[in-house]
Amino acid sequence: MQAVGDERLNWWQTRWFVAAMAFVAAIPLLLPDVPPLVDLPGHLGRWRVQQSIGQAPWLADWYNFEWQLIGNLGIDLLVVPLEPLLGLELAVKLIVIAIPVLTAVGLLWIAREVHGRIPATALFALPIVYSFPFHFGFVNFALAMALALNAFALWLRLARLGHIRLRAILFVPLGLVLWVTHTYGWGLLGVLAFSGELIRQHDRGRNWFIAAFFAGLHCIVLLPPAILMLVWRTGGDVTGQTADWFNWRIKARWVLMIFRDRWELLDMATLAACFLLLLKGVRDPAIEYSRNLSLSALFLLAVYLLLPRIVFGSAYADMRLAPFLLGIALLALRPKAGLSIRGASVVAAIGMAFFVGRVAATTVSFWQYDQSYDRQLAALDKLPVGARLLTFIGETCRDEWTMSRLEHLPAMALTRKLAFSNDQWSMAGAQMLTVKYDPGRGFNHDPSQIVTDVKCPRQYWRPIAVALTRFPRNAFDYVWMVDPPAYDRRLEAGLTPLWRDGNSALFRVEDRRPPRLLMQDLGPYGPEYFEAISRRRAFGKASSRPGTPVPAPPPRARAPGSRPPRA
């Protein structure tokens, strides 16, 4: 009977199979015009400003955009050559499709280098290509992590072939590329490379302390980006705090949300299956753990436990690592030598079905999100180019498992119509775009676009009645309501509807005066409520994120010129 250790490659170990799995990973993103990832439309808006600010002069009245060397430039740089050739949306879509493809290839390549060939159990790691951080739209991060996985596989391969000097030469620029793409990918590569080299040095007969010393020497080639990091984070205009250490309740939640998408039961079942397989590796005599990747997983676990929730003002820092910790731990599993090829084939078939089934569910989920996008974006047909647009998007105070993914839809008006978008992030040093539209202060950047039915605890979101009563009508010409909570229609006074679909609508601002609606007629939003909101500073200064400086007043916004810019 043929055993796992035989020389002949099995069907799941061939290059054709790896190529097939890479194609399967791309399927959910093929149909949607805009990949339905929470933050991606907001990033598209930033890239539109980046590419068009020279052709649309009114954009410079609303936004500052300055190129600078920061550790978060992956797609920002890629769209520079691709946008003129393909258009912005298609270029970004193709780059985003490449992320799960590269992630799948990187995982299988790592398994091949560590185990000698791809073990059947490695297929169970593939569903992390569509993990919660990717669904959230952390696309520069996700691209960097995909590249880091492939770079780690190359690191292992060059060591296996004895090309240590070549590896040292190659990984100086590779480390720099990873850092520029996103700092997190460079950090992941550093942890994985050190753990892999530590095992290699120990296998050469050195004790753990000496092996750790030599592993550190080999990883010096990855240190140059640390100088760039120091220059970046000590800049005079850099803001953002590092906070919320050792929040064990939140860390446990991030683990439970590794596969969070649409159907909580399915997502939790996927996670449970992964943990059952990890447990099987401890108890099943036919399956074992690789020392190399087990050590890598332990290192990543230590990093996960030590990471705060907020790093340099960027939230979800620890959450982003959880899927890759799980993926590396799953890759560490392998059938022991001697297992029959029939048994390994059954494991591989189950693993492939596990991945394909997860991709099928994600495809359906993305199709449904895409339908929601198309329905709401129909409003843009009624919006002129260069409009001063204010958008309000409905949200609830409950952290519902299924996210609407509409939170940054306003940026599609910026992307397609070069209109003002009040959902852009404005934190100096974290990205190259900051908002400077002073007439709309309090309603000019994220999260001013989010509205709720009541005031949510620990959130900067406004109730819909407060938003419609308080927004500066002189600063905006149009108001776009995207699936808002129920509100008193008398608050639409002075707003002319141009488009409606259900409770969503696009209005033109006709009367610059606030609605003449008595406070006592607002029911629960009467005088006492507004007074309480004022005390909590729920609007005005409190609408800005902590640590964000108040921008200087810009020149008054100019109307679009007669010559249309390149879109």
Side-chain angles (χ1 to χ4, degrees):
M1 181 180 293
Q2 186 184 358
V4 168
D6 291 350
E7 290 298 321
R8 192 177 66 182
L9 290 178
N10 300 299
W11 57 269
W12 67 89
Q13 296 167 334
T14 64
R15 293 178 179 177
W16 285 108
F17 179 79
V18 172
M21 292 300 97
F23 174 75
V24 169
I27 290 175
L29 292 164
L30 296 179
L31 180 62
D33 299 323
V34 178
L37 312 177
V38 176
D39 283 356
L40 183 62
H43 296 310
L44 272 166
R46 182 178 76 250
W47 297 324
R48 169 55 68 211
V49 174
Q50 168 189 308
Q51 295 297 104
S52 302
I53 197 168
Q55 291 79 38
W58 59 93
L59 292 178
D61 293 327
W62 300 336
Y63 305 106
N64 280 318
F65 186 88
E66 296 181 7
W67 282 102
Q68 50 189 307
L69 185 60
I70 62 176
N72 186 17
L73 294 179
I75 301 181
D76 301 62
L77 292 175
L78 289 174
V79 298
V80 173
L82 293 179
E83 185 267 342
L85 297 174
L86 304 173
L88 180 61
E89 291 188 42
L90 179 57
V92 170
K93 177 178 177 175
L94 293 177
I95 295 169
V96 172
I97 288 174
I99 293 173
V101 170
L102 289 171
T103 304
V105 171
L107 290 169
L108 295 177
W109 189 7
I110 290 171
R112 163 71 173 83
E113 292 301 324
V114 170
H115 302 292
R117 58 186 60 190
I118 299 172
T121 49
L123 306 186
F124 288 90
L126 292 179
I128 74 160
V129 302
Y130 284 102
S131 61
F132 187 41
F134 182 74
H135 287 293
F136 219 117
F138 301 144
V139 285
N140 278 347
F141 158 83
L143 177 60
M145 298 299 266
L147 294 175
L149 293 175
N150 286 274
F152 177 50
L154 179 61
W155 176 277
L156 294 173
R157 180 175 180 81
L158 293 175
R160 177 172 62 83
L161 297 177
H163 301 322
I164 303 302
R165 180 174 297 179
L166 176 62
R167 186 179 74 176
I169 295 172
L170 288 178
F171 273 81
V172 172
L174 284 177
L176 291 168
V177 168
L178 266 178
W179 183 87
V180 170
T181 302
H182 196 281
T183 310
Y184 221 120
W186 167 68
L188 176 71
L189 176 61
V191 173
L192 295 178
F194 178 80
S195 62
E197 187 61 24
L198 178 60
I199 289 293
R200 192 178 78 90
Q201 293 294 330
H202 184 261
D203 287 346
R204 298 180 69 184
R206 295 186 167 103
N207 65 50
W208 287 110
F209 293 103
I210 301 300
F213 172 76
F214 279 96
L217 288 180
H218 281 273
C219 290
I220 286 177
V221 297
L222 297 175
L223 281 182
I227 301 172
L228 299 179
M229 174 77 81
L230 183 63
V231 173
W232 172 31
R233 298 313 307 177
T234 55
D237 62 341
V238 172
T239 60
Q241 60 177 336
T242 296
D244 204 3
W245 301 79
F246 308 117
N247 191 331
W248 306 119
R249 182 180 64 85
I250 293 295
K251 288 184 184 293
R253 287 188 65 203
W254 295 153
V255 173
L256 295 176
M257 293 181 183
I258 285 176
F259 295 107
R260 178 178 174 181
D261 179 16
R262 180 182 293 273
W263 301 286
E264 184 173 5
L265 182 60
L266 175 62
D267 300 338
M268 295 300 292
T270 303
L271 181 66
C274 293
F275 278 121
L276 284 174
L277 184 61
L278 292 176
L279 180 62
K280 190 175 180 64
V282 176
R283 302 177 60 88
D284 193 324
I287 299 177
E288 64 182 359
Y289 279 94
S290 151
R291 289 184 310 126
N292 191 325
L293 291 179
S294 295
L295 185 62
S296 297
L298 289 174
F299 278 19
L300 291 178
L301 176 61
V303 173
Y304 179 72
L305 296 176
L306 292 173
L307 264 178
R309 185 178 64 87
I310 303 172
V311 176
F312 302 146
S314 179
Y316 309 110
D318 50 354
M319 176 267 276
R320 305 181 193 206
L321 185 59
F324 297 91
L325 166 59
L326 176 63
I328 294 297
L330 289 168
L331 287 183
L333 289 168
R334 63 188 175 201
K336 288 185 178 179
L339 179 68
S340 70
I341 187 61
R342 182 175 181 180
S345 295
V346 170
V347 173
I350 295 173
M352 183 180 68
F354 183 61
F355 176 50
V356 172
R358 184 70 200 181
V359 166
T362 304
T363 302
V364 174
S365 176
F366 278 16
W367 176 78
Q368 290 181 311
Y369 283 125
D370 183 55
Q371 296 296 300
S372 174
Y373 273 31
D374 289 344
R375 188 165 55 252
Q376 300 295 340
L377 290 175
L380 299 186
D381 294 338
K382 304 294 185 179
L383 188 73
V385 172
R388 298 187 302 171
L389 174 68
L390 177 66
T391 307
F392 295 131
I393 299 173
E395 185 57 89
T396 67
C397 295
R398 301 180 302 277
D399 185 15
E400 298 175 356
W401 190 267
T402 302
M403 304 174 72
S404 72
R405 310 211 178 181
L406 301 174
E407 288 87 341
H408 287 280
L409 203 65
M412 293 308 299
L414 175 55
T415 302
R416 295 181 176 179
K417 294 287 189 171
L418 297 166
F420 181 79
S421 167
N422 61 307
D423 74 314
Q424 288 297 301
W425 304 274
S426 190
M427 182 174 291
Q431 62 273 320
M432 295 173 292
L433 182 146
T434 53
V435 180
K436 67 174 185 178
Y437 186 47
D438 194 60
R441 181 172 295 179
F443 290 82
N444 60 1
H445 64 73
D446 179 75
S448 66
Q449 79 278 14
I450 303 297
V451 292
T452 53
D453 55 347
V454 298
K455 180 70 177 76
C456 299
R458 299 179 299 278
Q459 293 288 358
Y460 293 103
W461 306 335
R462 294 180 180 87
I464 181 65
V466 176
L468 285 173
T469 304
R470 300 287 176 160
F471 82 87
R473 296 195 170 205
N474 286 324
F476 300 102
D477 300 315
Y478 296 87
V479 176
W480 186 15
M481 307 282 282
V482 178
D483 198 18
Y487 61 91
D488 192 318
R489 286 297 177 93
R490 288 175 293 175
L491 292 170
E492 295 179 1
L495 305 177
T496 301
L498 304 177
W499 169 90
R500 284 191 187 272
D501 186 342
N503 59 344
S504 298
L506 176 68
F507 300 93
R508 182 171 57 242
V509 179
E510 301 286 2
D511 190 345
R512 301 295 178 178
R513 296 169 297 176
R516 301 174 63 85
L517 184 61
L518 296 178
M519 291 295 187
Q520 55 265 30
D521 292 336
L522 285 173
Y525 306 112
E528 296 81 6
Y529 182 82
F530 278 92
E531 193 175 317
I533 294 297
S534 297
R535 286 198 301 269
R536 296 174 195 168
R537 303 174 71 196
F539 45 80
K541 292 181 181 178
S543 65
S544 298
R545 290 189 176 184
T548 304
V550 177
R556 185 172 180 83
R558 295 191 297 268
S562 58
R563 183 178 179 182
R566 177 169 54 87

